[in-house]
Amino acid sequence: MIGLDRVSRTFPTRDGEVTALSDIDLRVDKHEFVAVIGRSGCGKSTLLRLMAGLLAPTSGTVTVDGAPVRRPRADVVLMHQLPALLPWRTALGNVMLPVEIRRLPRADHRVKAAELLDAVGLTGFHHRHPYELSGGMQQRVALCRALIQQPRVLLMDEPFSALDALTREELATQLQAMHMSAPATTVFVTHSIAEAVLLADRVVVLSTRPGRVRQVLDIALPRPRSFGHSAHVAEAAGYVAELHDLLLHD
Amino acid sequence: MIGLDRVSRTFPTRDGEVTALSDIDLRVDKHEFVAVIGRSGCGKSTLLRLMAGLLAPTSGTVTVDGAPVRRPRADVVLMHQLPALLPWRTALGNVMLPVEIRRLPRADHRVKAAELLDAVGLTGFHHRHPYELSGGMQQRVALCRALIQQPRVLLMDEPFSALDALTREELATQLQAMHMSAPATTVFVTHSIAEAVLLADRVVVLSTRPGRVRQVLDIALPRPRSFGHSAHVAEAAGYVAELHDLLLHD
Amino acid sequence: GDSGGGSSSGDKVTYLTAFGAVGRDAFAWVAQEKGYFRDAGLDVTIRLGAATGENLKVLAAGQAQFANLDLTGTWILAGKGEYPDVRAIAAIHQQTLVSIVSLAGAGITTPKDLEGRKLGAATGSVNQLLFPAYAKLAGVDQARVTWVNAPPAQLPALLASNRVDALSTFLIGAKGLEKAAGGKKAVVLPYSAYLPELFGNGLIAPLAITRDQPDLARRFRDAALKGLAYTMEHPQEAAEIMKKAQPAADITAAVGEITLMAPYVKTSGVIDRQRVAAEIDTLQKNGLIPPGLTPDTAVDFALAPAG
Amino acid sequence: MNASRPVLPVAGALAAIGIWWGATAVFGIRPLFLPAPPDVVAAFRAQPGYLLCETGATLLETVTGFGLAVLLGLLIAVTLTASRTLERAALPVLVALNSVPKVAVAPLLVVWLGFGPRPKVVLVLLICVFPIVVATMAGLTSTPSELGELSRSLSASAWQTYVKIRLPWALPQVFTGLKVAVSLAVIGAVVAEISNPSGGLGAVVVLSGMSFDTPLAFAAIVLLALLSTALFYLVVAVERLLVPWARAIAG
Amino acid sequence: MNASRPVLPVAGALAAIGIWWGATAVFGIRPLFLPAPPDVVAAFRAQPGYLLCETGATLLETVTGFGLAVLLGLLIAVTLTASRTLERAALPVLVALNSVPKVAVAPLLVVWLGFGPRPKVVLVLLICVFPIVVATMAGLTSTPSELGELSRSLSASAWQTYVKIRLPWALPQVFTGLKVAVSLAVIGAVVAEISNPSGGLGAVVVLSGMSFDTPLAFAAIVLLALLSTALFYLVVAVERLLVPWARAIAG
Ligand SMILES: Nc1ncnc2c1ncn2[C@@H]1O[C@H](COP(=O)(O)OP(=O)(O)OP(=O)(O)O)[C@@H](O)[C@H]1O
Ligand SMILES: Nc1ncnc2c1ncn2[C@@H]1O[C@H](COP(=O)(O)OP(=O)(O)OP(=O)(O)O)[C@@H](O)[C@H]1O
Ligand SMILES: [Mg+2]
Ligand SMILES: [Mg+2]
């Protein structure tokens, strides 16, 4: 579904070029859930923006469905690392933005938007503006805005970073359920190794400066998975430890 | 050192008032390290902004050193949940901002700023502007900007939220070392229970809507502590489990 | 644009032209260039004037000591008590040059033809104020004439574009109008045909000068009139002298003006008391000024050449 | 704070009038140059109907021209920011055209458009449009990069990007342009009326100036100032209504 | 893209000239109303030295007045945004004063300040200062709340807050004001010169108008347009130099 072929990306700066990503080869299959982990600044966001068609690779090619990605596609949705909410719209209005832009039926999606906001714990905050919401609340609004589009490819950049441990677990569990019932091809950047192990079919570990694929780990655990209370707790802990070591010895 | 006396804070909104914090009684002693945890939107940021003198309580009083807080004090430093970097200054320039504003000796602090940036892993990025940095890098610059002030009271709002697990651990460990060698009175909002247990003398658990102090837990572990590799691993795990339960049954 | 003389000796005075730098004002630059001012012990700075009212304000504010102004306009204002503290010290145009100007083919050959037509004039100019008197004498039903106000510089374009049928303006502008209208001949109906007692431009000074420094005024008057005499004799050279000081001036138009105004100029600058009295009488009879103005409060006859 | 609402501006106005009055008295300035406030009030009270009627004429021209300028200005700004090529080719021409002094254009407009209100409306339009274009362009090109990426990643059409994201974001800056433009609008109307004094307060200024009735001229100028201030605060009110969020996110 | 750098603006200018020329030819417009480009070029070539010298005079007045307006405008804006009370009291007066038509003020300035360059510089100042004030105030009050909190929590003095945070943040919007103001500056100089034609391109316009030399007037107007455009792009260049980050964070 998504293919990266010897992809590199550099940024020009005043004192020479910075190589964010170098020589990335990666395939994400249809309906697959791939988690990406790596140290801060290793190029995770850059990777997602390449897949989303927001950045062009300096060399190599990025394809979706075999077609080179030249610009953003309607069936690929990126949830940005920052909430990027429109300050003049309420929470609900922000979630409805893609619906309006893609000209989807409004009435249906309004109901769905409200359901999504309730599901992430924002009952009672539908009509608040972003500046009236806490950081974590804003991030959840952005999450709803991505989910309402039901894209074929979902790219998420640290979607839970501003959330407390428990909300994070709840939302990760919901995301897993959604992925099982109606799977979208998902690339999920996270800082939480446990989250990656919970959600992903495969975990891609990036090394730092320049960002390269250090290792790809298959998570062979049955679904639904859960945090620490399942029969496979030992296996899961093993994956976590392995990923931890991989990051540590970058 | 810091005292909150029956403090409440409400925000006016179009459809009535929202109570962010209600009836908070809290004392933070000199050189104490207090961690605050709670679900997203429970009022953690509001709490810190009250202590920093950026918000006035709707009722009750906030004191630092026995004096009511009416405006920001020079000896209290808040690290905001957002990086809030000046886009026209480089990383180093941003770290130097408080030095310039407080008219501290520049040359000395320039060296110190560079050391701090190196310590958080930003070697080679001193002269980059914020838009050339990744999200986690920006947050680390903001951290350095808070630390360079060597305040008597340090208020940190999710300082590591944009960082990967390992960088987080490293920085938490460094923060612990700093606190041991030159202790500042610290209030530390975090989403990571493990981090709270690692760093704090006491952990304050807030409940949601309205935010109240649900429980205050003393962490009676010897320092220096570490993540999972110490002699007290079982005790630490016990604290983590207890806090987890407290949050879960909010 | 500063035409101040090179010599630093002599009394410093500022002189305002009547209307920018056109033919009727050329004599000032001639007097400057030929050294008449210098010979009279004057160090004159020539400033470009605008409308009568603005020039009067500048005189009143003490920013200039002498000006070339429309005497009739000045006296109307003085008569209304708006600005009594100035005195004429010489006449440049013995009769008013105000005229009705239209283009050949517009069908305006007599004053009577103006009925039912649109007439343009400079906003608030004396031309309009004088028209009722003119109309009465010329037998025109002034109620049937429509007036349109416009800034002076805009008038030719209005006529040339047929936005108005005729203008009330100085006849010496007729040459320029012909040029503007693409060579069409101008038809000129001077007010002086019916109102011969009205004066045109003249030299004016504030009372403070005429009363307290009559010698200065006399020296200035004589030097300026000498320039005027030379100008009337050598229109081409006068225009060229002006052009040298004011490159935006147009030689052909200036020569045309000087030639056209010649019949109305007496280089002696004489102001006849009887005619001043007659003019004041006409102005009062037509309700343009209340009673009160006398020839002696309009003209300083000690300074004005008597013949 | 709230009790002082109308007090402060009134105090400011009174202070200004006081300074003016004091100056005329202390320096003994003649009414011809600068009439004292009572002279001006007297001039107004002599013919209030006439003055108010002319105020209405000026208001109509101003508002019509300003309204057209807003439409045209937004259109130009959107067009120029939509295409970098177009901007580079057209902006210099626009700047050059704008710098042609309107005072010089006014007579030509009468020649072309006649004596009615049209040349006046057009002059108002001409004088207003540039600040609106410049401010709107600045606003449209200041969309934060994350919002820009958002709209691109939503595959929003150019039109949608403008309507849903860039234009709302630009609104606070558009209003900067509108505030500057609205006060120029009144000036534009007056310039046109001075050049073609067939009505409006500009005509009052120039005609009374010609007849040396400076108090009447000042009465007209005071009315112009009031008109302009009222329109300015009307724009401010519309801004408060349309972009309350801008003040909420500013600190 | 880079190769086309000078091509595009030149193409735009040529297109504009083409339209102008075509219009004069097709509609048979007489040079009195609108001279064709060759007439204007001829008028320029007849006395280039004179015209360039007058351009210099206008330039000097414009730049001096504009420079003073920048200083004064920033000062006023900082003062008014520093105190809400002051703003509420003084802004209406400022708006009212600004709406007094400058054309009406020009003759008075001559009366008060004489014939030298002073009344012209003052008129430029008067006409420029308002857009700068409005835009700077808008910029200064748009500091994002997190930066506002940052400076408050650093206990920055009012002066430091302005110099280190609010003013740099406002710079892009200040430049919006400067761009509008600089083109008004030229107009202000011309208005002053028209009312007191003792030098400068405005004097050329009015004097050549008096002697019906429309091509010369247009040569002066074209020079004015060039002057204004050059100053505008100078401001743009300074903006690029001072606020490169603004374009970097916009998307
Ligand atoms: N516009 C840019 N200009 C210059 N350098 C850039 C730019 N964008 C990214 N970089 C650099 O590219 C590298 C990777 O950045 P990226 O944002 O992809 O990191 P990341 O893995 O998402 O980090 P984080 O976890 O902190 O968000 C960093 O070193 C960053 O400095
Ligand atoms: N300016 C405001 N206007 C209205 N409501 C506000 C405002 N600021 C905060 N709130 C409300 O106060 C509550 C607490 O917000 P706060 O930002 O303190 O939460 P938090 O604990 O920091 O959350 P997070 O972990 O998501 O950052 C939230 O319900 C929020 O909606
Ligand atoms: Mg990132
Ligand atoms: Mg928070």
Side-chain angles (χ1 to χ4, degrees):
Chain A
M1 180 94 192
I2 309 177
L4 279 83
D5 228 3
R6 305 185 63 77
V7 167
S8 299
R9 171 71 207 202
T10 59
F11 290 100
T13 68
R14 256 154 317 149
D15 26 68
E17 303 216 310
V18 168
T19 306
L21 289 174
S22 161
D23 227 5
I24 305 277
D25 278 306
L26 187 66
R27 295 197 51 77
V28 182
D29 291 329
K30 198 166 177 194
H31 299 169
E32 197 183 9
F33 197 116
V34 169
V36 178
I37 63 174
R39 310 285 304 247
S40 168
C42 72
K44 304 181 292 296
S45 299
T46 306
L47 185 72
L48 288 202
R49 290 164 73 216
L50 285 167
M51 291 176 174
L54 290 172
L55 275 183
T58 315
S59 67
T61 50
V62 179
T63 56
V64 169
D65 277 341
V69 174
R70 296 240 167 65
R71 67 184 65 83
R73 296 164 53 115
D75 54 355
V76 177
V77 164
L78 170 68
M79 179 184 164
H80 203 276
Q81 187 167 3
L82 295 172
L85 301 179
L86 304 183
W88 55 90
R89 285 185 174 231
T90 61
L92 190 66
N94 268 289
V95 177
M96 288 296 285
L97 179 73
V99 175
E100 295 170 18
I101 284 183
R102 300 197 192 283
R103 302 186 194 292
L104 306 174
R106 291 211 190 180
D108 305 1
H109 282 84
R110 219 186 147 75
V111 175
K112 209 180 139 203
E115 283 169 11
L116 279 168
L117 284 170
D118 288 347
V120 299
L122 290 177
T123 317
F125 290 87
H126 295 196
H127 301 293
R128 291 286 147 73
H129 284 85
Y131 55 84
E132 295 173 312
L133 301 176
S134 77
M137 291 168 151
Q138 292 181 21
Q139 198 172 37
R140 284 179 273 167
V141 174
L143 177 67
C144 295
R145 183 178 62 192
L147 293 177
I148 202 169
Q149 303 177 56
Q150 299 189 284
R152 289 178 59 227
V153 178
L154 185 55
L155 310 171
M156 306 173 94
D157 199 352
E158 303 179 24
F160 304 148
S161 63
L163 301 176
D164 61 287
L166 276 170
T167 311
R168 237 182 140 118
E169 282 179 24
E170 285 167 17
L171 291 183
T173 312
Q174 279 185 36
L175 191 64
Q176 175 177 240
M178 284 172 56
H179 187 72
M180 285 172 71
S181 66
T185 309
T186 307
V187 182
F188 183 91
V189 170
T190 181
H191 286 147
S192 161
I193 296 172
E195 217 164 73
V197 171
L198 179 82
L199 290 167
D201 299 314
R202 283 191 296 154
V203 179
V204 175
V205 183
L206 292 185
S207 65
T208 317
R209 242 160 279 157
R212 291 177 193 277
V213 177
R214 181 174 158 77
Q215 182 120 14
V216 181
L217 194 71
D218 282 291
I219 308 291
L221 291 175
R223 297 181 189 263
R225 305 170 188 163
S226 72
F227 281 98
H229 295 281
S230 80
H232 303 273
V233 66
E235 269 170 274
Y239 285 124
V240 169
E242 189 174 349
L243 289 169
H244 202 277
D245 281 357
L246 277 169
L247 278 181
L248 196 63
H249 303 113
D250 185 12
Chain B
M1 179 95 190
I2 311 178
L4 279 83
D5 228 2
R6 305 186 63 78
V7 167
S8 299
R9 170 71 208 202
T10 59
F11 291 101
T13 67
R14 255 153 316 150
D15 25 69
E17 302 216 313
V18 169
T19 306
L21 289 175
S22 164
D23 227 6
I24 305 277
D25 278 306
L26 188 65
R27 295 197 51 77
V28 182
D29 292 327
K30 197 166 178 196
H31 300 169
E32 197 183 10
F33 197 117
V34 169
V36 178
I37 63 174
R39 309 285 302 246
S40 168
C42 71
K44 304 180 293 294
S45 299
T46 306
L47 185 71
L48 288 202
R49 289 164 73 216
L50 285 167
M51 291 175 175
L54 290 171
L55 274 184
T58 315
S59 67
T61 50
V62 180
T63 56
V64 169
D65 276 341
V69 175
R70 295 241 166 65
R71 66 184 66 83
R73 296 165 53 113
D75 54 354
V76 177
V77 165
L78 169 68
M79 180 183 163
H80 204 276
Q81 188 167 4
L82 294 173
L85 300 179
L86 305 182
W88 54 89
R89 284 183 173 232
T90 60
L92 190 66
N94 269 287
V95 177
M96 288 295 286
L97 179 73
V99 175
E100 295 170 19
I101 284 183
R102 299 197 193 282
R103 303 186 195 289
L104 307 175
R106 292 211 189 181
D108 305 1
H109 282 84
R110 220 185 146 76
V111 175
K112 206 178 143 205
E115 283 170 10
L116 279 169
L117 284 170
D118 287 347
V120 299
L122 289 178
T123 316
F125 288 87
H126 295 196
H127 300 294
R128 290 287 147 72
H129 284 84
Y131 55 84
E132 296 172 312
L133 300 176
S134 78
M137 289 168 153
Q138 292 181 21
Q139 199 172 36
R140 283 179 274 166
V141 174
L143 177 67
C144 295
R145 185 178 60 193
L147 293 179
I148 201 167
Q149 303 177 56
Q150 298 189 284
R152 289 177 59 226
V153 178
L154 185 56
L155 310 171
M156 306 172 95
D157 198 352
E158 303 179 26
F160 305 149
S161 63
L163 300 177
D164 60 290
L166 276 171
T167 309
R168 241 184 135 117
E169 283 178 23
E170 285 167 18
L171 290 183
T173 312
Q174 279 184 37
L175 191 63
Q176 176 178 239
M178 284 171 56
H179 188 72
M180 285 173 69
S181 65
T185 309
T186 307
V187 182
F188 183 92
V189 170
T190 181
H191 286 145
S192 160
I193 296 172
E195 217 163 73
V197 171
L198 178 82
L199 290 167
D201 299 313
R202 284 190 297 155
V203 178
V204 175
V205 183
L206 293 185
S207 65
T208 318
R209 243 160 282 154
R212 289 177 194 277
V213 177
R214 183 175 158 76
Q215 183 120 14
V216 180
L217 194 70
D218 283 290
I219 309 290
L221 290 176
R223 294 179 190 265
R225 306 170 189 163
S226 73
F227 280 99
H229 296 280
S230 81
H232 302 272
V233 64
E235 270 169 274
Y239 286 125
V240 169
E242 188 173 351
L243 289 169
H244 201 277
D245 279 358
L246 277 168
L247 279 181
L248 196 63
H249 304 113
D250 185 12
Chain C
D2 189 353
S3 313
S7 72
S8 51
S9 63
D11 297 302
K12 279 202 184 312
V13 299
T14 299
Y15 165 78
L16 272 182
T17 67
F19 185 61
V22 288
R24 75 198 77 152
D25 282 307
F27 68 89
W29 282 282
V30 172
Q32 180 88 289
E33 171 80 13
K34 294 284 171 193
Y36 302 152
F37 287 140
R38 191 180 55 236
D39 297 345
L42 297 171
D43 177 6
V44 177
T45 307
I46 302 174
R47 297 289 186 186
L48 305 186
T52 306
E54 299 305 336
N55 291 356
L56 269 177
K57 270 191 202 167
V58 171
L59 279 186
Q63 299 281 4
Q65 285 71 46
F66 299 100
N68 185 13
L69 284 179
D70 183 58
L71 293 176
T72 303
T74 306
W75 291 337
I76 291 177
L77 292 170
K80 289 203 280 188
E82 292 291 356
Y83 204 85
D85 299 339
V86 291
R87 296 287 184 272
I89 58 171
I92 304 296
H93 301 145
Q94 293 295 328
Q95 286 184 312
T96 183
L97 302 183
V98 174
S99 310
I100 302 292
V101 181
S102 66
L103 293 176
I108 299 176
T109 49
T110 67
K112 195 82 186 140
D113 297 330
L114 289 173
E115 291 179 3
R117 302 300 190 108
K118 224 185 226 171
L119 211 54
T123 310
S125 64
V126 281
N127 309 11
Q128 253 180 90
L129 300 178
L130 291 173
F131 187 74
Y134 172 77
K136 203 158 64 188
L137 293 168
V140 180
D141 178 5
Q142 57 154 317
R144 296 189 51 212
V145 176
T146 318
W147 283 93
V148 170
N149 282 313
Q154 179 184 341
L155 292 172
L158 286 178
L159 184 66
S161 64
N162 292 324
R163 289 270 169 204
V164 296
D165 301 303
L167 301 177
S168 172
T169 182
F170 285 126
L171 70 87
I172 47 185
K175 272 278 180 296
L177 275 176
E178 288 175 355
K179 180 180 157 197
K184 264 195 213 163
K185 276 270 163 266
V187 181
V188 180
L189 308 172
Y191 278 25
S192 56
Y194 295 92
L195 297 164
E197 65 275 23
L198 301 188
F199 282 88
N201 281 2
L203 297 180
I204 288 193
L207 188 56
I209 300 284
T210 57
R211 190 184 52 209
D212 306 335
Q213 296 173 273
D215 175 58
L216 180 74
R218 200 167 290 121
R219 281 186 282 142
F220 179 84
R221 177 203 66 191
D222 291 341
L225 289 174
K226 210 166 154 197
L228 179 65
Y230 191 91
T231 302
M232 300 321 293
E233 279 162 35
H234 310 93
Q236 181 70 27
E237 190 189 340
E240 280 162 9
I241 288 172
M242 178 170 71
K243 171 91 178 171
K244 213 170 81 195
Q246 292 291 330
D250 185 82
I251 293 187
T252 326
V255 173
E257 262 197 51
I258 297 170
T259 323
L260 278 176
M261 77 188 208
Y264 301 86
V265 173
K266 283 189 187 153
T267 53
S268 64
V270 59
I271 304 182
D272 180 75
R273 184 185 285 269
Q274 258 60 56
R275 277 200 47 222
V276 175
E279 163 151 14
I280 292 174
D281 191 45
T282 301
L283 295 179
Q284 284 174 352
K285 262 203 322 240
N286 286 284
L288 292 173
I289 54 173
L293 190 71
T294 66
D296 284 298
T297 50
V299 180
D300 188 323
F301 286 103
L303 284 169
Chain D
M1 201 46 197
N2 261 339
S4 68
R5 260 192 164 255
V7 174
L8 282 177
V10 169
L14 286 181
I17 293 174
I19 292 173
W20 165 17
W21 201 337
T24 55
V26 171
F27 300 111
I29 300 176
R30 255 177 291 169
L32 174 69
F33 297 137
L34 188 62
D39 303 338
V40 176
V41 173
F44 176 77
R45 297 188 53 181
Q47 32 192 351
Y50 163 64
L51 283 171
L52 289 181
C53 164
E54 299 303 316
T55 310
T58 302
L59 177 66
L60 193 69
E61 292 155 18
T62 307
V63 170
T64 315
F66 180 68
L68 292 175
V70 173
L71 292 183
L72 191 67
L74 290 181
L75 203 74
I76 294 178
V78 168
T79 315
L80 293 192
T81 50
S83 148
R84 188 100 186 83
T85 314
L86 211 59
E87 186 207 319
R88 307 248 333 276
L91 189 59
V93 176
L94 199 71
V95 174
L97 282 184
N98 177 61
S99 65
V100 175
K102 304 299 170 296
V103 196
V105 176
L108 282 178
L109 287 177
V110 177
V111 172
W112 290 333
L113 301 171
F115 293 104
R118 268 201 291 164
K120 296 170 188 172
V121 170
V122 169
L123 197 84
V124 173
L125 170 78
L126 287 179
I127 209 165
C128 284
V129 83
F130 190 70
I132 300 178
V133 169
V134 170
T136 308
M137 282 181 67
L140 288 176
T141 52
S142 73
T143 329
S145 57
E146 66 267 22
L147 294 188
E149 289 207 340
L150 172 69
S151 84
R152 282 166 61 211
S153 72
L154 287 173
S155 311
S157 68
W159 169 250
Q160 287 174 326
T161 307
Y162 274 102
V163 170
K164 305 256 181 210
I165 296 172
R166 294 180 72 177
L167 218 43
W169 180 266
L171 269 189
Q173 297 195 46
V174 173
F175 272 98
T176 304
L178 294 187
K179 280 184 235 171
V180 170
V182 80
S183 56
L184 286 176
V186 178
I187 293 181
V190 171
V191 168
E193 286 165 359
I194 286 179
S195 130
N196 166 21
S198 56
L201 289 173
V204 176
V205 171
V206 64
L207 295 177
S208 56
M210 290 296 173
S211 53
F212 284 76
D213 191 351
T214 319
L216 181 59
F218 266 73
I221 288 179
V222 168
L223 282 174
L224 279 173
L226 290 179
L227 181 66
S228 183
T229 314
L231 289 175
F232 182 87
Y233 280 96
L234 195 69
V235 172
V236 170
V238 173
E239 180 184 17
R240 296 245 164 112
L241 206 73
L242 286 187
V243 279
W245 55 269
R247 294 202 299 160
I249 64 169
Chain E
M1 206 38 202
N2 261 338
S4 69
R5 259 191 166 258
V7 174
L8 282 176
V10 170
L14 286 181
I17 294 175
I19 293 172
W20 166 17
W21 199 338
T24 55
V26 172
F27 300 109
I29 300 174
R30 256 176 289 161
L32 171 71
F33 300 138
L34 189 62
D39 304 337
V40 176
V41 172
F44 177 78
R45 296 188 52 182
Q47 29 193 353
Y50 165 63
L51 283 170
L52 290 180
C53 162
E54 301 303 314
T55 309
T58 303
L59 177 65
L60 194 69
E61 290 155 21
T62 308
V63 170
T64 314
F66 179 69
L68 292 175
V70 173
L71 291 182
L72 190 68
L74 289 180
L75 202 75
I76 295 178
V78 168
T79 315
L80 293 191
T81 51
S83 149
R84 188 100 185 81
T85 314
L86 211 60
E87 186 207 319
R88 306 247 334 276
L91 189 59
V93 176
L94 198 72
V95 174
L97 282 183
N98 176 60
S99 65
V100 175
K102 305 299 170 294
V103 197
V105 175
L108 280 180
L109 287 178
V110 177
V111 169
W112 290 332
L113 300 172
F115 289 101
R118 269 201 291 165
K120 297 170 187 173
V121 169
V122 169
L123 196 84
V124 172
L125 170 78
L126 287 179
I127 209 166
C128 284
V129 83
F130 190 70
I132 300 178
V133 169
V134 169
T136 307
M137 283 181 66
L140 288 175
T141 52
S142 74
T143 328
S145 57
E146 66 267 22
L147 293 189
E149 289 207 339
L150 173 70
S151 83
R152 281 167 60 210
S153 71
L154 287 173
S155 310
S157 68
W159 169 251
Q160 287 174 326
T161 307
Y162 274 102
V163 170
K164 306 255 181 210
I165 295 172
R166 294 180 73 175
L167 217 44
W169 180 266
L171 269 189
Q173 296 194 48
V174 172
F175 272 98
T176 304
L178 295 187
K179 281 185 236 172
V180 171
V182 81
S183 56
L184 286 176
V186 178
I187 293 180
V190 171
V191 168
E193 287 165 357
I194 286 179
S195 124
N196 166 20
S198 58
L201 289 173
V204 176
V205 171
V206 64
L207 296 179
S208 54
M210 284 176 175
S211 46
F212 305 104
D213 191 349
T214 320
L216 181 57
F218 266 72
I221 289 178
V222 167
L223 283 174
L224 280 172
L226 290 179
L227 181 66
S228 183
T229 314
L231 289 175
F232 182 88
Y233 280 97
L234 196 69
V235 172
V236 170
V238 173
E239 179 184 19
R240 297 245 164 113
L241 207 72
L242 287 186
V243 280
W245 54 270
R247 295 203 297 161
I249 64 170

